[in-house]
Amino acid sequence: MKKDIFIDNNIAKNFANPADKEYKKLIRWLLKFDNNIDFEQNAHLVLSQKIRNEYLESSSGAKSVSNIVVIVSKLIKQGRVNEFSNTEIKEFQQKYFSSKVKKQFKDFRLETNRDSNHIPIILKSDRKKALIIDKKFKEIVNNFPGFKAKAESKPKEEFYM
């Protein structure tokens, strides 16, 4: 099982100039690559083209080595991404975004909310862990029927390690 994690853009856009020591630890964990351990025990990032586009929109101008775009590029080169296609996202939504689920999370507007495209990749990921600031988005991930996922709003080493 890959040590993967989804990082929402609201978290990632703070990577370029992190003031919080927990963000710095998370970035170090993502960037660290150890050839002496099982490959899957290295950090992996859960991605889709949609979240990559969000990262680019908000962070492409940052020049820091801790910029999320730089981190994604490095992880892709090292094969440390757990990436899902648009087709996989749509298939998941068709299967699991039933009218009952849409009604349960009606305040979030599953059909139109941009973040609803990220729910499938979190729930299909190996560890089903996510860092999300948005309370409603986090609530859906933590309470989606039939899945045991965990979303936190702040990086903590004991959560993502």
Side-chain angles (χ1 to χ4, degrees):
M1 177 187 317
K2 292 178 187 142
K3 274 193 155 180
D4 61 2
I5 190 164
F6 172 85
I7 300 175
D8 192 32
N9 190 47
N10 290 332
I11 298 270
K13 65 184 178 185
N14 296 319
F15 281 18
N17 190 17
D20 187 296
K21 68 178 182 170
E22 293 301 327
Y23 275 80
K24 291 177 183 178
K25 287 180 187 177
L26 173 64
I27 293 165
R28 278 194 298 274
W29 177 73
L30 286 168
L31 291 172
K32 182 181 176 191
F33 182 66
D34 189 344
N35 278 319
N36 297 318
I37 63 171
D38 177 23
F39 177 75
E40 291 189 349
Q41 294 305 304
N42 285 291
H44 287 69
L45 194 58
V46 175
L47 291 177
S48 69
Q49 189 59 51
K50 294 177 188 310
I51 191 65
R52 288 170 70 178
N53 290 344
E54 284 187 38
Y55 292 161
L56 281 169
E57 287 172 16
S58 66
S59 302
S60 62
K63 306 240 187 281
S64 167
V65 294
S66 61
N67 172 340
I68 189 63
V69 176
V70 173
I71 292 170
V72 167
S73 177
K74 182 175 183 176
L75 294 178
I76 288 171
K77 286 176 187 169
Q78 295 172 340
R80 295 192 297 136
V81 296
N82 193 1
E83 188 157 10
F84 298 93
S85 69
N86 289 338
T87 302
E88 289 174 293
I89 293 168
K90 286 178 186 168
E91 287 171 354
F92 183 97
Q93 289 171 329
Q94 288 171 346
K95 182 175 182 177
Y96 294 104
F97 285 18
S98 66
S99 54
K100 182 180 177 183
V101 169
K102 289 175 186 173
K103 187 176 180 181
Q104 181 180 350
F105 301 119
K106 67 179 179 221
D107 292 343
F108 187 73
R109 296 187 181 106
L110 279 175
E111 293 176 330
T112 58
N113 191 305
R114 183 178 189 175
D115 288 331
S116 66
N117 291 307
H118 306 323
I119 295 165
I121 70 172
I122 296 166
L123 299 179
K124 288 176 66 76
S125 70
D126 286 8
R127 295 195 311 167
K128 298 170 183 35
K129 289 191 174 192
L131 289 170
I132 302 167
I133 292 175
D134 181 288
K135 288 180 184 179
K136 288 181 182 178
F137 181 18
K138 188 171 72 169
E139 177 187 330
I140 290 171
V141 170
N142 287 331
N143 297 298
F144 202 92
F147 292 87
K148 290 187 179 183
K150 185 67 180 154
E152 295 282 341
S153 45
K154 245 192 121 184
K156 295 180 214 146
E157 211 170 342
E158 60 272 10
F159 174 69
Y160 58 81
M161 288 294 285

